[in-house]
Amino acid sequence: MHELSKKVSRGIGVLSKIRYYVNRNILHQLYNYSIIYPFLTYGPSIWGNPYITTRKPLITLQKRAIRTITFSKPDEHSEPLFKELEILKLTDLVTLHNALLMYHYHYNLHPSSFEIFFPTVASVHSYNTRLASKSTYYINTIKTNYGKFNIRFAAVKVWNNLDENIKHLPLKTFKNKVKSNILQSYCS
């Protein structure tokens, strides 16, 4: 996380230096395609599930980047800015990537080493339950925070909380629908 924070911080430095010379659209594109977003989207299902205090420096840096792009004050509320730029907050970015991981797993679009990584509810119970008839996966009983932050728990929890209609959409539509649902939850 520390190395990631350093990279994002450098990206913010670049944005703050050039923001007076380019328009906001270019700043937004630089954020999305080269300076910050690629670092945040590289494996967030793996590193993005720990304690909030571990993620806090990255969350703060992401907010600073958004404020830099929009020329906002340092103490301005960031949620409307995220909604305006259609950028997901770090915690929601992790949620999206967990949902995508489960989508790939559900439709066998993953490497073969993941074949029995997430058991379905139907494979655990020998009797029919409400959850067994849906596209849900079994969540093991978790007794520690380490278990809560494990991808086997976090990703399955995200997938099981999704609407059944969304789970059966094509991949691109699925991703866009999950992202738009998250963005709609932001205040304006």
Side-chain angles (χ1 to χ4, degrees):
M1 284 274 207
H2 181 66
E3 289 299 314
L4 185 59
S5 295
K6 285 186 350 188
K7 290 178 182 182
V8 171
S9 188
R10 277 188 221 120
I12 294 169
V14 171
L15 285 177
S16 60
K17 284 183 174 88
I18 66 168
R19 71 182 181 157
Y20 297 104
Y21 305 106
V22 296
N23 66 29
R24 185 171 157 176
N25 188 33
I26 291 174
L27 290 172
H28 188 248
Q29 287 178 357
L30 285 172
Y31 173 91
N32 273 338
Y33 301 115
S34 63
I35 296 180
I36 296 172
Y37 190 73
F39 296 115
L40 297 179
T41 57
Y42 187 72
S45 294
I46 309 292
W47 57 258
N49 292 318
Y51 286 107
I52 190 73
T53 53
T54 308
R55 286 182 291 180
K56 184 84 169 130
L58 267 178
I59 292 169
T60 304
L61 287 171
Q62 188 190 30
K63 288 179 180 182
R64 188 181 312 155
I66 298 304
R67 290 184 183 113
T68 301
I69 292 170
T70 59
F71 287 86
S72 301
K73 297 175 188 168
D75 61 345
E76 189 168 336
H77 190 54
S78 62
E79 198 165 270
L81 303 176
F82 278 103
K83 187 171 186 174
E84 179 186 335
L85 294 173
E86 295 184 355
I87 294 175
L88 294 179
K89 294 187 266 183
L90 184 66
T91 51
D92 296 326
L93 191 62
V94 171
T95 300
L96 174 66
H97 279 266
N98 283 340
L100 288 170
L101 172 75
M102 291 304 297
Y103 183 93
H104 283 92
Y105 183 83
H106 186 73
Y107 291 104
N108 294 320
L109 304 172
H110 56 78
S112 60
S113 59
F114 281 97
E115 283 182 13
I116 56 169
F117 205 69
F118 303 107
T120 60
V121 171
S123 69
V124 173
H125 299 298
S126 60
Y127 46 89
N128 196 14
T129 64
R130 282 179 285 156
L131 289 178
S133 64
K134 297 180 181 180
S135 304
T136 55
Y137 290 88
Y138 181 72
I139 299 177
N140 289 323
T141 305
I142 303 299
K143 296 180 182 180
T144 64
N145 283 335
Y146 177 77
K148 273 196 257 182
F149 302 142
N150 190 313
I151 195 168
R152 286 184 171 183
F153 178 81
V156 170
K157 190 173 176 188
V158 168
W159 179 261
N160 288 350
N161 288 334
L162 289 175
D163 185 27
E164 277 301 305
N165 298 329
I166 294 175
K167 294 177 184 177
H168 301 291
L169 296 172
L171 178 59
K172 187 170 180 152
T173 311
F174 172 81
K175 181 179 179 180
N176 291 337
K177 187 69 175 167
V178 172
K179 182 177 178 180
S180 69
N181 285 351
I182 293 170
L183 286 170
Q184 285 175 358
S185 70
Y186 295 171
C187 66
S188 6

